[in-house]
Amino acid sequence: MEYTYSAFISYRHLPKDITAAKAVQKALETYRIPRDIQKRTGIKKLNRCFRDQDELPLADDLGESIVKALRESEWLIVICTPDLPKSKWCCREVETFIELGRKDRIIPVLVDGEPKDSYPPQISYRETAQGVEEVEPLAADLRGSLKKQLKTEKMRLAARMLNLDFNDLKKRERERALRRGLVLVSGAFAIVAAFAGYALYQNGLLTEERNQSARNATELLIEKSVRSTSEGEIGSGLTYALQAYESSRLFDDEYDAPVLAALETAMYPEPFSQIGSLKDNGVLHRMATISNDGKFIACRQSDWSLQVYNSVTGDRLYTLRDHRSLWNDAPDISPDCRYVSQITDNEITLFDVADGTQVLTGTLPEGWQACWRGLTLINEIPVWSDEGKAGLYDPFSKELHILEGISREDVPVKAALHRSGTRGFWYDGTYTYLVDTVNREILLTLDISYHGTSCEYTDDGLYFRYWDGVLYHYLRWDTLEEVCQSEKFGSLSPDEKILASRSGSDRFTLWDVSSGEAISSEGYNCLNEVYSLYFVDDDTLIASHGEVQIYKLSTMEVIYHSGEDRMTYGLDFAPGRLVMPLRSGGCLVNLLPEEEDILPHMTLETRQDYTEDDLFGTTSCFPLVGNWQGAVYYLWIDGESFTVNFDEPGLAYIFNNEEYILHPVNGAGNGFVYVSPDGKWQAVIRDQEVDIFRAGEQAEPVMTIPGNGYQRLCAAFYGDIIALGSYVENLVLYDLKTGDCIGTVKTGAMCTDIQFSPDGKHLIGLSGMSEQAVVANTENLAVIMRIPVTEIRMINQMAVGFNEDGTEAIIIYHDGHADVALMNQDLRTLVEKAQKYTG
């Protein structure tokens, strides 16, 4: 029979099904049958496809119309999804088509799900002599990208409807596309040929311009990274270095060495050194608070606005205007580091700490007022009522939790929270209650009233301190275990052995807790009262009295001093960071030692039983013996002197079992020769000047490096590079092929020993005057580590160098113990660390 429609499309009226049905209809109705197949089959094109919404939108009797359309359709195409078997109308359409005797002309089109879940049940089974068995009819698969899949699957549908082999039809389609393409290509070839040369030329110019721009950007970022680090902006230094790394990927590994050097320069700051500052244009901050995770710094201004900064980059994130709060005290960032709070007597507003968007605003329950400016760890507010009750209010759930046991009708109840948000204390004029603010229970009740500093947390938050009228009591802030009683008001060390007392003077005194005797009263006198004392660890104390100083208590050495030009308005600290708003404007961020790997830092280990054989030596030093210019040079062995007499004057040494004779210009100075690892170069130091020899060429020097006004003390080689240490504070490097000075490294004065790493990427210099060993990167000559050196009086018995793979910078002391600084040689590792540090 002749059919009105090539196919009836059955589908559910759901968005995904409708889209697929429309696409299949359009693909079949616009499909062009290849000409040779037209001649063979006599079919020039497929007829229209029936889709009920398009064909019968105004039908009065939809049921009869659909049956009529099914009868006049040669094929039934079913759009299959997991929703289709649930449609009784789609299933009836399939049943009706089967009743017409055309079950073999049903084509499922799978749009979503699996066949067993998406096919109509009528075509998923068939009856056989053995009974009913499950089948999976051939189908078109449109899962995934509908547009992409339909390009191929429309041919699969057409092949079935034309009774053709799919692969044959697909092959003919490719041939037709090829012929069409050849026609288009031949027609466009002349145009392409005309423009090809011009396009290639322009493309070359654009590529060259793009590459040059990328090079300029990479080099500028590397320069900015090194400069930022040298100015104490470690966060910016790492950020610029990471940006340089990304832009340099266009050139493979061409820029890896300078990028690695830039990262290293920022990766190992000294403890307590400046690692950043706020980009605030020198604004005067009245107070500053750093979040507990160290990521955000909030600063209150004189106009009561609040500025929030990124602590790593120093960038200002946002400003909150008119941010007055309870007591207008230091700005409060919630203990969980999620919110900035603004709390007045009976109103609460919370802002997202990351972007300043308002998260919540509301009022406290009627008759209740806030009695602290901040939040607990679970973001509840300490409150008290007109009736003298105390509680914790949740501004999100609006639940009020009464603290049973605190109630004074005639006196307002006040409170204060520990910065952890897990502990706090309430006082009512007679009693002080120490509270677990997470479980909302009173842990301890003290029969003391609050007057000024009679009860509070110590400056560093390690202890709760209260005055009983006779003595100060010190309790651990978390366990509330009492660990000390003293007449002194101050801060207690973590190990409970030292009490630092400020006593309202310009000095502070250290007291032995067990004996009560004064250990030291050498606090720095800057004619300013000591405002606060913070213990960083058992041996490190921060004193704030206008200027900020950090002391190593075992030696009473000042290991950091902010200076008179950097007077502060107090300070705050979080893991790894010390924040200091300056009276002159601006705010500094300094590095605090931290056990966790949260910030760039130097890792130093002490090891035992080291000898110079454990160092990878790039330079050897040998005594010279012989007679030269009227002077005799001796070799000392076990207290006895030996020399060698030659037929002609000269000085000798032995390297790799071979004897070498040298003729220094004006003597041999200290009587030693420094030899490169391959024996190619030798250097003899003569006071300020250095004679350079090339092995096997001649006894006379090939060049003389002139003096710099100070006596040279040591030398080291790597390849054709020599590094020279002297009494002046800069180590100098020369290119031995040209004699040119490459640059200097600031090691500190009296540099007595130098060595290069095995790969020549680093060098280490030992400075007696500065009491440190300096590790520098030879790519940019920047100092990346300053390692403190003790027992400096034994410097002549010390040795410095690197291990065999260059990942450890080592200082060996006279007794065999060694300080070992760990280094990262791999660029990828440094990039990952920098990404972690900068967030």
Side-chain angles (χ1 to χ4, degrees), residues 656-681:
N656 287 342
N657 296 320
E658 188 172 345
E659 181 183 274
Y660 293 88
I661 303 295
L662 304 178
H663 294 166
V665 175
N666 289 311
N670 61 10
F672 287 89
V673 60
Y674 296 88
V675 184
S676 62
D678 57 5
K680 175 182 176 181
W681 296 102

Side-chain angles (χ1 to χ4, degrees), residues 74-76 103-108 137-140 154-166 169:
E74 186 175 2
W75 295 86
L76 175 64
K103 184 175 182 179
D104 60 341
R105 294 199 174 193
I106 300 176
I107 307 174
L138 295 175
K154 72 179 179 181
M155 286 187 284
R156 193 183 303 278
L157 291 169
R160 180 87 183 276
M161 295 168 71
L162 295 172
N163 196 25
L164 298 172
D165 181 72
F166 167 65
L169 182 60

